[in-house]
Amino acid sequence: MSTRKIIVLSAGLGQPSSTRLLADRLAEASARALLDQGSPAEFRVVELRDHAHDVTDAMLTGFPSEALADVLAAVGAADGVVAVTPVFTGSYSGLFKSFFDVLDNTALTGTPVLIGATAGTARHSLVLDHELRPLFSYLRAVVVPTGVFAAAEDWGAGDSTATGLPERVTRAADEFAALVSLRHTERRDPFVDVVSFEEQLGRLGVPDDV
């Protein structure tokens, strides 16, 4: 079985950030779940903050830099995407949205996407269903039923074992792995079954030299 390619997008602005921490937890749990289902995977983590200037330039000019084009192509070719954003003013971050604004709107068609978000308090948790899920539904991605939100209280003193966060991460990762494992990833040549003009004439009993 071929190795699945998973892209992890973290839109955290700080280093370190709770957004990256959640993205790493989701990636680790997804890797375990995929192995359990017999689908080994290769993960690539992308910090969107490293491409912030290129994203802005691409929005202004319509042309991505070489580095950004590589990330966009990787997202389009991925078997699954983990996307995590901090919450700013009740919604996903501007950097997160801008990245998907420069991504081709067909790139995620049929692609399983595991969504996550972080914020200071749990009152922002509805951003998953009111902001992130509609965004990826518009892009025709297959959004994992369970999204994962993590507030400051979920981490405690740098530890998430005392809360329900590990259970939510595991459940979401299992659902994500199931979708990725079921996805048909072979890139089929659309012209492989096209019948040549000569063959069509032959089937009709028309001589080739007509």
Side-chain angles (χ1 to χ4, degrees), residues 19 22 29 42 46 50-51 56 83 95 105 120 128 135 148 167 169 208:
T19 301
L22 178 59
E42 175 184 294
V46 177
D50 295 337
H51 302 277
T56 301
L95 174 59
N105 62 11
L128 290 172
L135 169 64
V148 181
E167 288 79 9
V169 167
D208 293 343

Side-chain angles (χ1 to χ4, degrees), residues 126-163:
L126 289 178
V127 73
L128 290 172
D129 291 323
H130 289 271
E131 301 289 340
L132 287 171
R133 202 171 294 277
L135 169 64
F136 289 107
S137 294
Y138 172 79
L139 294 172
R140 296 184 292 279
V142 180
V143 186
V144 172
T146 299
V148 181
F149 178 86
E153 63 213 48
D154 287 311
W155 303 111
D159 180 314
S160 63
T161 59
T163 72

Side-chain angles (χ1 to χ4, degrees), residues 12-178:
L13 300 184
Q15 283 188 325
S17 71
S18 59
T19 301
R20 174 61 188 270
L21 183 58
L22 178 59
D24 288 342
R25 294 289 178 90
L26 292 171
E28 291 164 4
S30 297
R32 289 193 298 270
L34 283 163
L35 278 177
D36 289 343
Q37 297 185 24
S39 299
E42 175 184 294
F43 285 74
R44 175 180 175 182
V45 180
V46 177
E47 289 269 13
L48 294 184
R49 71 187 302 277
D50 295 337
H51 302 277
H53 292 292
D54 288 343
V55 167
T56 301
D57 290 342
M59 292 184 69
L60 294 174
T61 66
F63 297 98
S65 66
E66 183 176 347
L68 180 59
D70 175 67
V71 174
L72 296 173
V75 171
D79 298 307
V81 173
V82 177
V84 186
T85 179
V87 176
F88 293 145
T89 321
S91 185
Y92 34 61
S93 72
L95 174 59
F96 185 84
K97 180 59 164 59
S98 295
F99 176 80
F100 289 101
D101 284 342
V102 300
L103 179 71
D104 187 281
N105 62 11
T106 65
L108 289 178
T109 300
T111 302
V113 175
L114 171 52
I115 57 174
T118 60
T121 66
R123 67 191 180 94
H124 296 292
S125 60
L126 289 178
V127 73
L128 290 172
D129 291 323
H130 289 271
E131 301 289 340
L132 287 171
R133 202 171 294 277
L135 169 64
F136 289 107
S137 294
Y138 172 79
L139 294 172
R140 296 184 292 279
V142 180
V143 186
V144 172
T146 299
V148 181
F149 178 86
E153 63 213 48
D154 287 311
W155 303 111
D159 180 314
S160 63
T161 59
T163 72
L165 182 59
E167 288 79 9
R168 299 197 300 273
V169 167
T170 298
R171 182 170 65 250
D174 287 344
E175 294 170 355
F176 178 64

